[in-house]
Amino acid sequence: MVDRVKFKNGIEISRLGLGNMRLPVKTPLKREANPMIDYKKGQELVDLAYENGVNYFDTAYMYHAGKSEKYISNELKKYPRESYYLADKLPIFMCPKQSDMEKIFSKQLARCDVDYFDFYLLHSLDGKNWAKCKKFGAVEFIEQKRKEGKVKYFGFSFHGTVEDLKEIVAAHNWDFAQIQMNYLDWKNQKADEQYQILTDAGIPVVVMEPIRGGKLAEPIKEVKTLLNNNNPEISYAAWALRFVASHPNVLTILSGMNEAEQMLDNLKTLTDFKPMSDTELKVCANAAALLNKKDVIPCTGCDYCADCPKGVKISSIFAEYNKFKNGEATESEVKAEYTVLDGKASDCIACGKCASHCPQQIKIPELMQNQMKSFFE
Ligand code: SF4
Ligand code: SF4
């Protein structure tokens, strides 16, 4: 059984949590905007996770084009409600009006077919979203839901600056916080500082993107060589998970696992877990340095930006570009893939809609209009 970590009120959370942003699909065609979810495979994966002790299941209103909440509640239906913890999030950035918070919250309970959420987060906070939370009284709104028994533990997920985080941490007595943490973003996205701020404030950390959208499970060949030279017995994904789990204030690590093989490997990594040695931590820092030498776009493929009015296939374009930069494909190969995309860089009208949703703060309109256009077209 996978390790469990003590939380509040005597409850224990599995060190590995199941993220449900990228779901198993029947037709995994990268150019299809919203492929069909494979519910049968999903059930097998949820069963495998549950039977091996995973008890934390994370979803969000917008994941998988709004289908994730219904999906995970459907797959968990056969298990007693009190035997697992369901985490969901309020997308303040999708609330033009204050009353939208209530509408969305009610819809989430209905979609998940539950009476309460165990863990509930303000989704993707940064300075701008936090300002809106303050304006709409989002903290008070969720605290009211807690009083009504509809929320048990209240936290936030975060994609802003260190200064934003300090302000948010000081503003409320949070039960937990979710940050993007992996060996590449430890320095790149200042995850080290974020982790320390939360630890100093006594706030347990839920980790998202531990394998950076899968990129650290199949890293560039220089990183593979480095990791193999230090321990050829474990997978590249295990290196990434072990790095994160070696930090004692980590409560649970969310991984989106679409294959049983991945899940079994992750379960093995986080069962009877022993933290990394200083030498292994140094190897991870060296792997990050090798990755940083490549001039890639730091896109995780989350598709928060997918609702482009001109249909620009943003994440697919960045993925092809990165494949070339990482040496995984030749220039002509990635250009051939680009040719068949039906929303190209030159279709971008620089409306800026995508950039405001990007948790990695990628300057998408500028990149589309300049670097991507001149490389691919
Ligand atoms: S800035 Fe360009 S890529 Fe982004 S949403 Fe607008 S048109 Fe689409
Ligand atoms: S560009 Fe940003 S929002 Fe779009 S898929 Fe990449 S990381 Fe996600």
Side-chain angles (χ1 to χ4, degrees):
M1 297 293 269
V2 74
D3 295 351
R4 291 202 168 168
V5 178
K6 285 191 180 2
F7 185 54
K8 302 188 172 192
N9 302 322
I11 72 169
E12 295 189 341
I13 305 296
S14 54
R15 205 189 282 279
L16 179 67
L18 182 58
N20 292 283
M21 185 166 78
R22 303 175 180 96
L23 305 178
V25 289
K26 282 182 186 161
T27 49
L29 299 175
K30 65 185 169 189
R31 287 183 291 279
E32 194 174 343
N34 187 15
M36 293 281 290
I37 297 167
D38 188 338
Y39 285 93
K40 183 169 175 292
K41 188 173 181 186
Q43 186 68 67
E44 287 162 9
L45 287 166
V46 169
D47 290 346
L48 184 63
Y50 186 92
E51 284 158 13
N52 281 280
V54 171
N55 64 0
Y56 191 99
F57 297 86
D58 175 82
T59 185
Y61 188 69
M62 63 187 292
Y63 286 175
H64 212 100
K67 293 184 177 171
S68 172
E69 289 167 328
K70 209 170 177 72
Y71 160 87
I72 190 60
S73 61
N74 181 61
E75 309 299 47
L76 286 168
K77 203 94 221 145
K78 64 201 268 194
Y79 299 112
R81 177 67 186 90
E82 66 283 2
S83 69
Y84 60 85
Y85 301 106
L86 183 62
D88 207 342
K89 312 183 185 80
L90 180 70
I92 196 76
F93 46 87
M94 293 174 84
C95 297
K97 301 190 297 296
Q98 190 180 31
S99 56
D100 292 327
M101 297 193 297
E102 181 65 57
K103 275 190 202 149
I104 287 179
F105 188 84
S106 303
K107 198 166 165 186
Q108 289 178 304
L109 286 176
R111 272 185 185 174
C112 293
D113 195 15
V114 292
D115 300 324
Y116 66 92
F117 295 113
D118 303 278
F119 288 72
Y120 197 73
L121 303 85
L122 292 171
H123 195 174
S124 198
L125 291 191
D126 55 12
K128 189 174 155 210
N129 287 336
W130 178 239
K132 199 166 176 193
C133 285
K134 287 192 284 186
K135 185 175 160 205
F136 284 179
V139 169
E140 295 76 11
F141 170 77
I142 295 171
E143 283 298 349
Q144 180 56 36
K145 296 296 171 200
R146 192 197 319 241
K147 280 195 194 122
E148 293 167 14
K150 293 173 182 165
V151 167
K152 304 267 184 210
Y153 298 102
F154 178 23
F156 62 92
S157 67
F158 184 74
H159 283 291
T161 66
V162 165
E163 289 314 308
D164 295 336
L165 183 61
K166 285 180 183 164
E167 185 190 334
I168 294 165
V169 162
H172 191 64
N173 190 15
W174 306 99
D175 293 316
F176 66 103
Q178 184 168 314
I179 59 170
Q180 179 168 321
M181 186 169 149
N182 55 63
Y183 67 70
L184 181 59
D185 291 323
W186 190 240
K187 294 289 177 192
N188 286 9
Q189 299 251 355
K190 298 191 176 166
D192 57 344
E193 291 182 46
Q194 294 179 26
Y195 172 82
Q196 200 54 52
I197 290 165
L198 295 169
T199 302
D200 291 346
I203 301 172
V205 170
V206 174
V207 171
M208 58 183 153
E209 301 287 8
I211 310 179
R212 217 180 196 293
K215 306 288 183 301
L216 303 181
E218 270 304 320
I220 56 173
K221 64 177 184 305
E222 295 92 325
V223 170
K224 286 182 177 171
T225 304
L226 172 71
L227 300 182
N228 287 337
N229 285 344
N230 282 277
N231 186 350
E233 303 295 320
I234 63 170
S235 66
Y236 308 120
W239 273 95
L241 285 186
R242 291 189 64 232
F243 172 82
V244 170
S246 296
H247 294 85
N249 188 35
V250 167
L251 176 65
T252 187
I253 302 167
L254 301 177
S255 179
M257 298 163 275
N258 287 336
E259 298 296 335
E261 198 184 337
Q262 284 170 359
M263 189 177 287
L264 289 168
D265 185 48
N266 291 351
L267 287 163
K268 185 172 150 203
T269 302
L270 298 176
T271 298
D272 297 329
F273 177 73
K274 305 275 178 308
M276 279 184 160
S277 65
D278 288 346
T279 308
E280 288 174 305
L281 290 169
K282 185 82 178 58
V283 170
C284 288
N286 291 341
L290 287 170
L291 288 164
N292 279 332
K293 279 192 189 161
K294 308 280 177 183
D295 182 23
V296 297
I297 311 290
C299 173
T300 60
C302 67
D303 277 339
Y304 283 19
C305 59
D307 195 18
C308 165
K310 303 307 281 184
V312 178
K313 297 290 179 284
I314 300 168
S315 60
S316 298
I317 293 172
F318 288 155
E320 294 304 330
Y321 182 80
N322 286 348
K323 269 197 244 165
F324 169 65
K325 285 287 174 183
N326 278 332
E328 294 162 16
T330 63
E331 186 169 342
S332 54
E333 283 170 338
V334 299
K335 285 188 172 171
E337 287 290 323
Y338 181 81
T339 309
V340 292
L341 290 177
D342 54 8
K344 297 195 167 46
S346 52
D347 295 322
C348 172
I349 53 166
C351 69
K353 190 176 175 198
C354 52
S356 62
H357 290 307
C358 178
Q360 311 304 322
Q361 279 93 41
I362 297 171
K363 294 188 167 60
I364 303 170
E366 288 96 310
L367 283 167
M368 286 302 157
Q369 299 224 314
N370 300 304
Q371 205 172 331
M372 296 303 113
K373 194 165 144 192
S374 62
F375 176 76
F376 282 110
E377 298 181 18

PDB file of all heavy atoms in Angstrom, residues 339-355:
ATOM      1  N   THR A 339       2.240  21.544 -40.261  1.00  0.00           N
ATOM      2  CA  THR A 339       1.479  21.784 -41.485  1.00  0.00           C
ATOM      3  C   THR A 339       0.031  21.301 -41.351  1.00  0.00           C
ATOM      4  O   THR A 339      -0.892  21.925 -41.874  1.00  0.00           O
ATOM      5  CB  THR A 339       2.145  21.035 -42.673  1.00  0.00           C
ATOM      6  OG1 THR A 339       3.499  21.394 -42.656  1.00  0.00           O
ATOM      7  CG2 THR A 339       1.534  21.415 -43.998  1.00  0.00           C
ATOM      8  N   VAL A 340      -0.177  20.172 -40.645  1.00  0.00           N
ATOM      9  CA  VAL A 340      -1.541  19.625 -40.570  1.00  0.00           C
ATOM     10  C   VAL A 340      -2.361  20.207 -39.406  1.00  0.00           C
ATOM     11  O   VAL A 340      -3.529  19.871 -39.251  1.00  0.00           O
ATOM     12  CB  VAL A 340      -1.532  18.076 -40.487  1.00  0.00           C
ATOM     13  CG1 VAL A 340      -1.034  17.481 -41.785  1.00  0.00           C
ATOM     14  CG2 VAL A 340      -0.704  17.580 -39.319  1.00  0.00           C
ATOM     15  N   LEU A 341      -1.769  21.065 -38.608  1.00  0.00           N
ATOM     16  CA  LEU A 341      -2.557  21.715 -37.547  1.00  0.00           C
ATOM     17  C   LEU A 341      -3.536  22.695 -38.188  1.00  0.00           C
ATOM     18  O   LEU A 341      -3.166  23.429 -39.113  1.00  0.00           O
ATOM     19  CB  LEU A 341      -1.648  22.475 -36.575  1.00  0.00           C
ATOM     20  CG  LEU A 341      -0.756  21.651 -35.650  1.00  0.00           C
ATOM     21  CD1 LEU A 341       0.116  22.569 -34.806  1.00  0.00           C
ATOM     22  CD2 LEU A 341      -1.575  20.757 -34.754  1.00  0.00           C
ATOM     23  N   ASP A 342      -4.766  22.741 -37.659  1.00  0.00           N
ATOM     24  CA  ASP A 342      -5.733  23.639 -38.304  1.00  0.00           C
ATOM     25  C   ASP A 342      -5.827  25.008 -37.613  1.00  0.00           C
ATOM     26  O   ASP A 342      -6.659  25.821 -37.956  1.00  0.00           O
ATOM     27  CB  ASP A 342      -7.116  22.977 -38.421  1.00  0.00           C
ATOM     28  CG  ASP A 342      -7.610  22.471 -37.086  1.00  0.00           C
ATOM     29  OD1 ASP A 342      -6.951  22.767 -36.073  1.00  0.00           O
ATOM     30  OD2 ASP A 342      -8.644  21.776 -37.062  1.00  0.00           O
ATOM     31  N   GLY A 343      -4.999  25.291 -36.657  1.00  0.00           N
ATOM     32  CA  GLY A 343      -4.959  26.635 -36.060  1.00  0.00           C
ATOM     33  C   GLY A 343      -3.496  27.020 -35.884  1.00  0.00           C
ATOM     34  O   GLY A 343      -2.821  26.518 -34.983  1.00  0.00           O
ATOM     35  N   LYS A 344      -2.991  27.849 -36.764  1.00  0.00           N
ATOM     36  CA  LYS A 344      -1.551  28.104 -36.823  1.00  0.00           C
ATOM     37  C   LYS A 344      -1.170  29.413 -36.139  1.00  0.00           C
ATOM     38  O   LYS A 344      -2.025  30.246 -35.827  1.00  0.00           O
ATOM     39  CB  LYS A 344      -1.105  28.121 -38.278  1.00  0.00           C
ATOM     40  CG  LYS A 344      -1.309  26.782 -38.963  1.00  0.00           C
ATOM     41  CD  LYS A 344      -0.541  26.708 -40.242  1.00  0.00           C
ATOM     42  CE  LYS A 344      -0.466  25.295 -40.769  1.00  0.00           C
ATOM     43  NZ  LYS A 344      -1.711  24.535 -40.761  1.00  0.00           N
ATOM     44  N   ALA A 345       0.130  29.613 -35.945  1.00  0.00           N
ATOM     45  CA  ALA A 345       0.621  30.817 -35.275  1.00  0.00           C
ATOM     46  C   ALA A 345       0.143  32.074 -35.992  1.00  0.00           C
ATOM     47  O   ALA A 345      -0.223  33.070 -35.351  1.00  0.00           O
ATOM     48  CB  ALA A 345       2.147  30.777 -35.213  1.00  0.00           C
ATOM     49  N   SER A 346       0.088  32.020 -37.320  1.00  0.00           N
ATOM     50  CA  SER A 346      -0.312  33.208 -38.085  1.00  0.00           C
ATOM     51  C   SER A 346      -1.803  33.527 -37.941  1.00  0.00           C
ATOM     52  O   SER A 346      -2.258  34.596 -38.351  1.00  0.00           O
ATOM     53  CB  SER A 346       0.044  33.041 -39.566  1.00  0.00           C
ATOM     54  OG  SER A 346      -0.485  31.827 -40.025  1.00  0.00           O
ATOM     55  N   ASP A 347      -2.576  32.600 -37.371  1.00  0.00           N
ATOM     56  CA  ASP A 347      -4.001  32.893 -37.118  1.00  0.00           C
ATOM     57  C   ASP A 347      -4.190  33.752 -35.875  1.00  0.00           C
ATOM     58  O   ASP A 347      -5.291  34.259 -35.627  1.00  0.00           O
ATOM     59  CB  ASP A 347      -4.793  31.582 -36.937  1.00  0.00           C
ATOM     60  CG  ASP A 347      -4.825  30.743 -38.201  1.00  0.00           C
ATOM     61  OD1 ASP A 347      -4.938  31.355 -39.284  1.00  0.00           O
ATOM     62  OD2 ASP A 347      -4.698  29.515 -38.111  1.00  0.00           O
ATOM     63  N   CYS A 348      -3.148  33.886 -35.072  1.00  0.00           N
ATOM     64  CA  CYS A 348      -3.246  34.640 -33.818  1.00  0.00           C
ATOM     65  C   CYS A 348      -3.478  36.130 -34.094  1.00  0.00           C
ATOM     66  O   CYS A 348      -2.775  36.730 -34.905  1.00  0.00           O
ATOM     67  CB  CYS A 348      -1.963  34.440 -33.003  1.00  0.00           C
ATOM     68  SG  CYS A 348      -1.878  35.493 -31.547  1.00  0.00           S
ATOM     69  N   ILE A 349      -4.467  36.703 -33.404  1.00  0.00           N
ATOM     70  CA  ILE A 349      -4.771  38.131 -33.575  1.00  0.00           C
ATOM     71  C   ILE A 349      -4.323  38.934 -32.341  1.00  0.00           C
ATOM     72  O   ILE A 349      -4.697  40.087 -32.166  1.00  0.00           O
ATOM     73  CB  ILE A 349      -6.277  38.363 -33.828  1.00  0.00           C
ATOM     74  CG1 ILE A 349      -7.111  37.688 -32.710  1.00  0.00           C
ATOM     75  CG2 ILE A 349      -6.678  37.863 -35.215  1.00  0.00           C
ATOM     76  CD1 ILE A 349      -8.550  38.117 -32.659  1.00  0.00           C
ATOM     77  N   ALA A 350      -3.541  38.272 -31.474  1.00  0.00           N
ATOM     78  CA  ALA A 350      -2.986  38.934 -30.275  1.00  0.00           C
ATOM     79  C   ALA A 350      -4.059  39.525 -29.374  1.00  0.00           C
ATOM     80  O   ALA A 350      -3.875  40.591 -28.792  1.00  0.00           O
ATOM     81  CB  ALA A 350      -1.972  40.009 -30.696  1.00  0.00           C
ATOM     82  N   CYS A 351      -5.175  38.795 -29.233  1.00  0.00           N
ATOM     83  CA  CYS A 351      -6.236  39.301 -28.353  1.00  0.00           C
ATOM     84  C   CYS A 351      -5.844  39.197 -26.876  1.00  0.00           C
ATOM     85  O   CYS A 351      -6.411  39.883 -26.030  1.00  0.00           O
ATOM     86  CB  CYS A 351      -7.536  38.532 -28.600  1.00  0.00           C
ATOM     87  SG  CYS A 351      -7.461  36.815 -28.048  1.00  0.00           S
ATOM     88  N   GLY A 352      -4.920  38.304 -26.562  1.00  0.00           N
ATOM     89  CA  GLY A 352      -4.407  38.196 -25.190  1.00  0.00           C
ATOM     90  C   GLY A 352      -5.231  37.301 -24.274  1.00  0.00           C
ATOM     91  O   GLY A 352      -4.883  37.102 -23.115  1.00  0.00           O
ATOM     92  N   LYS A 353      -6.310  36.718 -24.790  1.00  0.00           N
ATOM     93  CA  LYS A 353      -7.186  35.894 -23.949  1.00  0.00           C
ATOM     94  C   LYS A 353      -6.434  34.712 -23.337  1.00  0.00           C
ATOM     95  O   LYS A 353      -6.613  34.372 -22.167  1.00  0.00           O
ATOM     96  CB  LYS A 353      -8.348  35.398 -24.817  1.00  0.00           C
ATOM     97  CG  LYS A 353      -9.451  34.740 -24.042  1.00  0.00           C
ATOM     98  CD  LYS A 353     -10.611  34.372 -24.945  1.00  0.00           C
ATOM     99  CE  LYS A 353     -11.649  33.609 -24.131  1.00  0.00           C
ATOM    100  NZ  LYS A 353     -12.572  32.875 -24.962  1.00  0.00           N
ATOM    101  N   CYS A 354      -5.589  34.095 -24.149  1.00  0.00           N
ATOM    102  CA  CYS A 354      -4.868  32.902 -23.690  1.00  0.00           C
ATOM    103  C   CYS A 354      -3.878  33.233 -22.571  1.00  0.00           C
ATOM    104  O   CYS A 354      -3.776  32.513 -21.578  1.00  0.00           O
ATOM    105  CB  CYS A 354      -4.113  32.284 -24.852  1.00  0.00           C
ATOM    106  SG  CYS A 354      -3.068  33.474 -25.712  1.00  0.00           S
ATOM    107  N   ALA A 355      -3.147  34.313 -22.759  1.00  0.00           N
ATOM    108  CA  ALA A 355      -2.062  34.635 -21.817  1.00  0.00           C
ATOM    109  C   ALA A 355      -2.579  34.837 -20.404  1.00  0.00           C
ATOM    110  O   ALA A 355      -1.927  34.457 -19.435  1.00  0.00           O
ATOM    111  CB  ALA A 355      -1.311  35.871 -22.301  1.00  0.00           C
TER     112      ALA A 355
END
